[in-house]
Amino acid sequence: VYTVSVDSGLGDGELRLDVVQDPNIQDMQTNALGNGYAFSEHYVLDKTPPAAEAISVVAPNPTNGSEVTFEVTFSETVENFDDETDLILTIEGSLAYAGVDVAPWSAPLTYRVALSGVTGDGTMTLAVRTDSGVQDLAGNALGSSVTSAQAVVDHTAPEVTVTPQTTPYATPTITGMADDGAGVGVQS
């Protein structure tokens, strides 16, 4: 019985150990190897870490709703991507949320992250933590993550300020613009 150790190198690929028929391979009584062996176990080597390669805001954006949803696409199938501890949420403004749901979506590479009970005004972005236990099926930890575009949340209704004017008309027509200061305007 022989033990063969193999340095699998740095890349991905497949590995199998075969013994070729060679008359120079002999037992202690100098009997040559009768035949080769090409039916050993087959190993798949995966040393490439997965990546969160696309994160998008699911419409509508901007929103005045109470839920913001992101779609996360990985470079390969992952496991342990399942709760808020796997996320980097960057929030600006007065935004707050009550809960987070992380669930697989339309394909094994795609997940949806839904923030519920969203209140306040501002922006948020999402990335996936590389130190949270997210890994591929071979055990390679998440190597990188992109950051989403900003999700814009605006719960503040626009205000109208009317400056009294004197007019000679009995039924004047008023036109103008209203702006809530966050870039969401109303025109009439």
Side-chain angles (χ1 to χ4, degrees):
V1 175
Y2 290 92
T3 300
V4 178
S5 298
V6 176
D7 180 356
S8 61
L10 300 174
D12 296 343
E14 299 177 7
L15 177 67
R16 183 178 85 189
L17 179 63
D18 294 338
V19 178
V20 296
Q21 185 174 358
D22 183 340
N24 293 321
I25 300 175
Q26 301 174 353
D27 65 12
M28 298 297 284
Q29 283 73 40
T30 66
N31 296 313
L33 178 65
N35 57 357
Y37 182 77
F39 306 103
S40 65
E41 288 190 48
H42 185 107
Y43 298 94
V44 176
L45 303 175
D46 177 1
K47 296 184 178 185
T48 302
E53 58 187 14
I55 303 176
S56 58
V57 181
V58 177
N61 188 28
T63 183
N64 65 353
S66 62
E67 184 172 290
V68 174
T69 302
F70 295 90
E71 191 168 277
V72 180
T73 303
F74 291 95
S75 59
E76 60 181 296
T77 302
V78 297
E79 55 189 13
N80 303 327
F81 183 61
D82 51 17
D83 64 32
E84 188 173 0
T85 62
D86 299 324
L87 309 174
I88 300 171
L89 281 166
T90 304
I91 295 176
E92 294 181 9
S94 62
L95 287 179
Y97 59 92
V100 176
D101 180 50
V102 178
W105 191 243
S106 60
L109 306 179
T110 305
Y111 288 74
R112 286 258 170 119
V113 176
L115 284 75
S116 58
V118 176
T119 59
D121 296 327
T123 62
M124 63 174 64
T125 60
L126 176 79
V128 181
R129 296 179 64 90
T130 58
D131 61 352
S132 70
V134 176
Q135 62 185 25
D136 67 12
L137 301 179
N140 297 309
L142 185 68
S144 64
S145 175
V146 297
T147 300
S148 72
Q150 288 185 335
V152 178
V153 180
D154 180 8
H155 289 114
T156 302
E159 295 180 8
V160 176
T161 303
V162 177
T163 304
Q165 298 288 323
T166 304
T167 179
Y169 304 108
T171 56
T173 302
I174 299 173
T175 61
M177 283 186 57
D179 189 340
D180 70 352
V184 178
V186 176
Q187 245 181 338
S188 127

